[in-house]
Amino acid sequence: MKITFGQMRQMGLRGILVYCHCGHHIALDADRWPDEVRLSDIEPRFVCQGCGARGADVRPDFERGNPRLAIVGGRVAN
Ligand SMILES: [Zn+2]
């Protein structure tokens, strides 16, 4: 699912989770990116603080978003 930050905000989501292949992940506010940017566009920009690898998997943070959508997010994640 490659959506833009604008579409994500329309879903009521305000944050992203950035995952590295090593298992390290961080949560960030999505406010800093404009509506037209896709989540996949920023993936190559991250450098992992755990293993130093460049590139990450960026997903909407359902936990911090609309509570109504949190259940759906959990199902997708698992
Ligand atoms: Zn890593």
Side-chain angles (χ1 to χ4, degrees):
M1 183 176 62
K2 299 303 181 186
I3 61 171
T4 63
F5 281 97
Q7 289 171 320
M8 204 185 87
R9 281 190 273 267
Q10 283 174 10
M11 294 165 66
L13 303 172
R14 292 288 176 269
I16 57 168
L17 291 171
V18 182
Y19 289 91
C20 178
H21 61 82
C22 76
H24 189 87
H25 68 274
I26 53 171
L28 295 172
D29 284 331
D31 297 348
R32 70 191 75 180
W33 290 284
D35 285 350
E36 66 271 19
V37 175
R38 289 176 186 278
L39 272 63
S40 56
D41 289 343
I42 66 169
E43 288 179 346
R45 300 188 197 178
F46 289 100
V47 175
C48 178
Q49 294 173 337
C51 71
R54 179 174 287 273
D57 190 15
V58 178
R59 302 172 197 172
D61 187 349
F62 291 101
E63 301 284 323
R64 287 199 302 161
N66 188 329
R68 207 156 43 85
L69 292 170
I71 299 165
V72 177
R75 207 186 296 147
V76 170
N78 296 323

